[in-house]
C-alpha cells in the first residue's frame, strides 16, 4: 500500500507529465504555420541538375516521392494557400540527414532568392534547438512560393518544417536556447552527481544511470546544435548519425540501470533477462540506423519504435513487480522514471510535430530526461540521508549498549569490564614515566548480615549510598567501580607514599560516616581497604592480585582498616605470598605517625 506522501509524489509526476504533453500538442500562434508534407508538391532530379532549373521542373502534388535518396528532392509550397504573413517569412527546418539544403523564395515579380546550407557548413542559418532558419528578404513584391531542394536526404519522413514570421523565429529561438541550456545544465549536474555517487556507494545501477544521463547530455548538445559554436563541421549528417546512436545507447543504459536497481532475488530470472535483451537490442539496432542513408531507414525506425514500446512496458512491469514486493529502491526508480517513460511512450504514438517552440519530441524528451535525472538524484540523496540517520542511530545505540555493558546497573559505576577498560590506559606504557598508579579495593564489612537483617532492598540502598559517595572522586585521573557484590574499586594516578595512605584512610572514614539511618537505623556500616601501587607499566591483573592480598589482610586484621601492600613492578610483579598475611599486620616503623587503623605489609 502507498502512503499519503507517496500518492502525492505519484500524482505530482503525472500532472507534470500531462502538462509537458499538453505543451507538446498546444497549437502554435495564429501567425505560425506548421506545414505538413502533404502541403508540398515534390519533384525528384539528379544532383547534377542546377538550381536554375527550378522554373522548368514538373511538381507532383499527390503521392509520396521515391528513389530520391541518391538524388535531389525538391519540395515546393504555395504561400498564398497558407495563413501566413507573406511580408515577413521565415522557413524553419528541423535538421535531417542531407548533403545540401537550398531554399528558394519566389516573389510575385518572378524574382527568386536562393539560400543554402550544406552538411558540415550551416553558416549563420543554424539555431539552438536543432533547427535551420531561412528568412526571406523583404522586397516590394510579395512572396508567392517557397521551394526546398535537398540533396541525398535520408528520408522525407524525418523532415519537420514550419513557416513563421522573422520576429517569431528570433523569439522562439531565444526561448528554446534558454530552455535547452537549462535542461543540459541539469543533466550535467546529474551526470557528475550520479557518477560520483556510484563511486562513493559502489552501486552498479547509479553508474548505469550516470551513463544514461551522459548519453542524453551528449545527444541533447548535438541535437540542439550547441556544439556548432566550437565545432561547426559537425553540422548536419554527422551530428544526426551520432544523435541516433546516442539515443539508442541511452535507452539501453536506462534499461540496465532500472533492472540492476532491483535485487535479483525479487524478480524471476527470465523477466530480467528478457528486459535486458530488449534494451541491448535497441542499442545494437541503433548502429545500422545511425549508418544507413537509404530507404531502409524508415523500416529500421519503425522497428526501433516497437522495441522502445516493448522495452518501456517490460521495465514498467519489473519496477511495479519489485515495488509491490517492498523494494524501496524500485519505488524511487519507478517514480523518477514515470515522466520520461511517459514522454517516450507518448512520442512513439503521437507525432508531436513542431510544438514546444519548434523543438518537438526531442525537446519533450530533453525536458523529461532533465527532470528525471534531478528527481532521481533527490530521491537517492534522501534515501542515503535516511540510511545515514539509521546508521548514526545504530552507532549511537551500539555506543549506548557498549557503555551499559561496562556499567553496573544498580550503582551506575563501572563494572569489572568497564573498570579494566578505563584503567588500562592508566597502567600501560602511555602513562607518563614514573607517574605512580594505585589501586584501592574496598569491601563493605559484614554486608551479608545487613541483607539478612534488613532485606536485600535495604542492602541495595546501602550500596547505592556508598557508590554515590565514591562517585565524587571520579575524574580524569581517578576511576571508580563496583566489581561485584559489596566490593568496590578505585584507581588513582599521581599520588603515592604517605599521601596515598592518607587518601586511602580518608576514603575509609568518609564511607564509614555515611548515614544509612533511613533503611538500617543506627547500625554503622564500615569498609575495609586494600591498597597497592606501581610506577612501572603493569597489567590490571598484576595490580589486582596485590590489592586483593592487602584487602584480605585488612579483613583478617579486624576490618574497618586500610592495609597497604608495597610492591615494585619493573617488568615483573613482586611475588605474592603463598600464605595469607597475619591478622596482626605490623605498623611500618618508618610510618609510626599513621593512624592506628592503617597497616603496611610487604
Amino acid at each position: 500500500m502507498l502512503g499519503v506522501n507517496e500518492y502525492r509524489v505519484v500524482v505530482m509526476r503525472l500532472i507534470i507529465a500531462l502538462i509537458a504533453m499538453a505543451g507538446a500538442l498546444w497549437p502554435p500562434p495564429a501567425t505560425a504555420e506548421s506545414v505538413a508534407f502533404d502541403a508540398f508538391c515534390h519533384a525528384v532530379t539528379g544532383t547534377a541538375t542546377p538550381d536554375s532549373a527550378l522554373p522548368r521542373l514538373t511538381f507532383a502534388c499527390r503521392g509520396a516521392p521515391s528513389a530520391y535518396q541518391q538524388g535531389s528532392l525538391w519540395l515546393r509550397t504555395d504561400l498564398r494557400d497558407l495563413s501566413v504573413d507573406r511580408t515577413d517569412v521565415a522557413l524553419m527546418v528541423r535538421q535531417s540527414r542531407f548533403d545540401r539544403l537550398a531554399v528558394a523564395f519566389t516573389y510575385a515579380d518572378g524574382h527568386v532568392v536562393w539560400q543554402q546550407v550544406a552538411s558540415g557548413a550551416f553558416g549563420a542559418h543554424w539555431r539552438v534547438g536543432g533547427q535551420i532558419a531561412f528568412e526571406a528578404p523583404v522586397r516590394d513584391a510579395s512572396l508567392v512560393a517557397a521551394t526546398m531542394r535537398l540533396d541525398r536526404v535520408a528520408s522525407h519522413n524525418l523532415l519537420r518544417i514550419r513557416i513563421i514570421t522573422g520576429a517569431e523565429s528570433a523569439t522562439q529561438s531565444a526561448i528554446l536556447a534558454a530552455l535547452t541550456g537549462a535542461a543540459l545544465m541539469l543533466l550535467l549536474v546529474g551526470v557528475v552527481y550520479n557518477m560520483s555517487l556510484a563511486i562513493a556507494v559502489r552501486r552498479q545501477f547509479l553508474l548505469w544511470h550516470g551513463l544514461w544521463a551522459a548519453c542524453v547530455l551528449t545527444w541533447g548538445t548535438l541535437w540542439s546544435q550547441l556544439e556548432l559554436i566550437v565545432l561547426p563541421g559537425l553540422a548536419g549528417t554527422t551530428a544526426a548519425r551520432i544523435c541516433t546512436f546516442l539515443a539508442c545507447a541511452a535507452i539501453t543504459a536506462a534499461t540496465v540501470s532500472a533492472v540492476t536497481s532491483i535485487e535479483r532475488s525479487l524478480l524471476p530470472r527470465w523477466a530480467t533477462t528478457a528486459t535486458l535483451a530488449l534494451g541491448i537490442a535497441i542499442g545494437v539496432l541503433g548502429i545500422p540506423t545511425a549508418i544507413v542513408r537509404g530507404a531502409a531507414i524508415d523500416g529500421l525506425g519503425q522497428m526501433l519504435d516497437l522495441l522502445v514500446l516493448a522495452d518501456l512496458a517490460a521495465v514498467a512491469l519489473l519496477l511495479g513487480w519489485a515495488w509491490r514486493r517492498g523494494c524501496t529502491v524500485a519505488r524511487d526508480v519507478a517514480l523518477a522514471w514515470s515522466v520520461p517513460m511517459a514522454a517516450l511512450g507518448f512520442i512513439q504514438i503521437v507525432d508531436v510535430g513542431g510544438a514546444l517552440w519548434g523543438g518537438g519530441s526531442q525537446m519533450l524528451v530533453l525536458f523529461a530526461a532533465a527532470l528525471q535525472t534531478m528527481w532521481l538524484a533527490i530521491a537517492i540523496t534522501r534515501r542515503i540521508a535516511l540510511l545515514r540517520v539509521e546508521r548514526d542511530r545504530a552507532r549511537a545505540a551500539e555506543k549506548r549498549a557498549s557503555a551499559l555493558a561496562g556499567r553496573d546497573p544498580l550503582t551506575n559505576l563501572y563494572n569489572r569490564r568497564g573498570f579494566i577498560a578505563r584503567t588500562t590506559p592508566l597502567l600501560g606504557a602511555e602513562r607518563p614515566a614514573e607517574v605512580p598508579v594505585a589501586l584501592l579495593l574496598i569491601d563493605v564489612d559484614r554486608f551479608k548480615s545487613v541483607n539478612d537483617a534488613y532485606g536485600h532492598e535495604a542492602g541495595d540502598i546501602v550500596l547505592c549510598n556508598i557508590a554515590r559517595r565514591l562517585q565524587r572522586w571520579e575524574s580524569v585521573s581517578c576511576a571508580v567501580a563496583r566489581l561485584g557484590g559489596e566490593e568496590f574499586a578505585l584507581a588513582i594516578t599521581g599520588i603515592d607514599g604517605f599521601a596515598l595512605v592518607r587518601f586511602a584512610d580518608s576514603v575509609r572514614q568518609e564511607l564509614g560516616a555515611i548515614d544509612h539511618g533511613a533503611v538500617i537505623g543506627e547500625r554503622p556500616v564500615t569498609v575495609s581497604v586494600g591498597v597497592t601501587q606501581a610506577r612501572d607499566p603493569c597489567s590490571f591483573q598484576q595490580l589486582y592480585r596485590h590489592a586483593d592480598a592487602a584487602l584480605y589482610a585488612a579483613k583478617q586484621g579486624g576490618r574497618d582498616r586500610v592495609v597497604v601492600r608495597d610492591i615494585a613492578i619493573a617488568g615483573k610483579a613482586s611475588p605474592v605470598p603463598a600464605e595469607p598475611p597475619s591478622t596482626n599486620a605490623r605498623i611500618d616503623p618508618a610510618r609510626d605517625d599513621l593512624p592506628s587503623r592503617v597497616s603496611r605489609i610487604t
Side-chain angles (χ1 to χ4, degrees):
M1 294 295 291
L2 290 176
V4 175
N5 291 334
E6 291 173 342
Y7 272 121
R8 290 176 180 171
V9 170
V10 173
V11 172
M12 185 182 299
R13 282 169 169 77
L14 291 177
I15 290 174
I16 292 174
L18 291 174
I19 291 174
M21 293 176 189
L25 295 176
W26 197 263
T31 54
E33 184 77 21
S34 293
V35 186
F37 187 80
D38 294 341
F40 288 90
C41 298
H42 58 270
V44 178
T45 67
T47 55
T49 303
D51 294 340
S52 59
L54 174 60
R56 302 188 299 273
L57 294 179
T58 301
F59 287 87
C61 298
R62 293 184 180 182
S66 60
Y68 56 81
Q69 281 82 6
Q70 301 304 318
S72 297
L73 175 63
W74 300 70
L75 301 174
R76 181 181 178 88
T77 185
D78 193 330
L79 298 178
R80 291 169 294 188
D81 297 336
L82 303 177
S83 56
V84 296
D85 180 4
R86 289 185 289 131
T87 62
D88 183 17
V89 172
L91 184 67
M92 307 293 291
V93 182
R94 278 239 298 278
Q95 61 162 302
S96 181
R97 304 182 194 182
F98 53 78
D99 287 351
R100 173 176 172 266
L101 168 58
V103 175
F105 293 105
T106 303
Y107 293 84
D109 59 2
H111 185 72
V112 179
V113 176
W114 284 90
Q115 299 176 9
Q116 69 173 359
V117 297
S119 184
F122 281 2
H125 292 280
W126 69 273
R127 300 289 184 271
V128 175
Q131 298 183 96
I132 310 169
F134 300 92
E135 297 182 5
V138 178
R139 299 181 69 251
D140 293 335
S142 61
L143 278 169
V144 294
T147 305
M148 295 188 303
R149 177 183 180 176
L150 298 108
D151 295 342
R152 294 174 55 84
V153 66
S155 172
H156 70 277
N157 293 317
L158 300 178
L159 292 172
R160 295 295 182 270
I161 306 163
R162 294 188 308 140
I163 298 177
I164 60 178
T165 66
E168 286 176 325
S169 171
T171 301
Q172 291 187 15
S173 295
I175 293 173
L176 208 56
L179 294 177
T180 302
L184 293 177
M185 183 58 66
L186 289 176
L187 281 170
L188 177 60
V189 172
V191 170
V192 175
Y193 179 82
N194 281 281
M195 289 297 188
S196 59
L197 197 60
I199 296 172
V201 302
R202 300 177 183 275
R203 295 299 298 273
Q204 183 180 1
F205 89 92
L206 288 174
L207 183 63
W208 282 104
H209 186 267
L211 182 61
W212 171 83
C215 286
V216 176
L217 173 65
T218 309
W219 166 82
T221 303
L222 293 174
W223 162 79
S224 66
Q225 303 184 138
L226 280 172
E227 84 286 356
L228 300 186
I229 298 173
V230 293
L231 297 171
L234 285 180
T237 300
T238 302
R241 286 177 166 178
I242 297 174
C243 283
T244 299
F245 174 74
L246 286 174
C248 296
I251 295 176
T252 301
T255 303
V256 178
S257 174
V259 172
T260 54
S261 69
I262 306 169
E263 297 179 15
R264 294 184 179 180
S265 59
L266 295 176
L267 298 173
R269 186 168 183 176
W270 63 265
T272 56
T273 302
T275 305
L276 287 173
L278 281 172
I280 294 172
I282 292 172
V284 172
L285 191 59
I287 298 174
T289 307
I291 296 173
V292 72
R293 287 286 298 267
I297 192 172
D298 292 329
L300 290 172
Q302 292 175 358
M303 290 178 61
L304 273 176
D305 290 344
L306 293 176
L307 282 176
V308 169
L309 287 173
D311 182 73
L312 291 174
V315 171
L317 287 174
L318 282 185
L319 292 176
W321 194 340
W323 187 349
R324 287 190 58 128
R325 299 191 68 176
C327 180
T328 55
V329 175
R331 178 196 63 189
D332 292 338
V333 172
L335 293 176
W337 275 105
S338 59
V339 174
M341 289 176 70
L344 279 173
F346 183 76
I347 65 174
Q348 302 304 318
I349 301 172
V350 179
D351 185 4
V352 177
L356 289 177
W357 306 278
S361 59
Q362 289 91 339
M363 199 66 206
L364 181 61
V365 170
L366 192 61
F367 283 155
L371 176 66
Q372 184 271 348
T373 298
M374 294 309 299
W375 222 313
L376 186 58
I378 292 171
I380 293 172
T381 302
R382 178 176 175 272
R383 179 68 50 193
I384 291 176
L386 292 175
L387 290 175
R388 285 180 175 176
V389 170
E390 292 177 4
R391 180 201 64 187
D392 293 342
R393 288 176 178 173
R395 286 181 175 177
E398 182 182 3
K399 187 176 181 180
R400 287 194 298 270
S402 178
L404 291 174
R407 290 283 179 177
D408 173 55
L410 176 64
T411 62
N412 199 37
L413 297 179
Y414 287 115
N415 57 20
R416 180 180 290 271
R417 174 184 175 183
F419 187 63
I420 292 175
R422 171 73 170 81
T423 56
T424 296
L426 302 179
L427 301 173
E430 57 267 30
R431 174 166 49 94
E434 299 302 317
V435 174
V437 59
L439 176 64
L440 284 68
L441 289 185
I442 305 164
D443 191 83
V444 181
D445 296 330
R446 297 186 174 86
F447 183 71
K448 183 177 182 303
S449 63
V450 174
N451 284 335
D452 293 341
Y454 302 99
H456 287 278
E457 184 177 352
D460 289 346
I461 294 175
V462 170
L463 293 177
C464 289
N465 290 339
I466 294 173
R468 279 193 294 272
R469 184 61 193 89
L470 283 171
Q471 254 178 337
R472 298 181 187 178
W473 284 292
E474 182 76 44
S475 66
V476 175
S477 60
C478 183
V480 181
R482 180 192 177 201
L483 300 184
E486 64 271 23
E487 184 176 80
F488 297 85
L490 187 151
I492 188 169
T493 60
I495 61 173
D496 64 346
F498 188 69
L500 175 62
V501 174
R502 284 291 189 187
F503 172 74
D505 195 57
S506 68
V507 170
R508 177 191 66 82
Q509 293 182 41
E510 291 195 32
L511 295 181
I514 297 174
D515 181 12
H516 305 287
V519 289
I520 61 174
E522 299 298 324
R523 175 170 177 162
V525 176
T526 62
V527 297
S528 300
V529 183
V531 183
T532 192
Q533 67 175 344
R535 289 185 176 273
D536 298 318
C538 63
S539 67
F540 175 82
Q541 288 76 11
Q542 289 174 311
L543 210 59
Y544 180 83
R545 284 201 308 268
H546 292 278
D548 189 53
L551 177 61
Y552 184 81
K555 290 289 188 179
Q556 293 294 98
R559 298 182 176 83
D560 189 19
R561 65 187 58 241
V562 174
V563 173
V564 180
R565 181 181 176 107
D566 290 329
I567 60 171
I569 300 175
K572 295 183 179 180
S574 298
V576 181
E579 297 297 330
S582 169
T583 56
N584 297 318
R586 63 183 178 84
I587 301 294
D588 189 340
R591 295 294 182 209
D592 55 5
D593 58 339
L594 292 177
S596 60
R597 293 187 178 274
V598 177
S599 302
R600 181 181 295 274
I601 60 174
T602 59

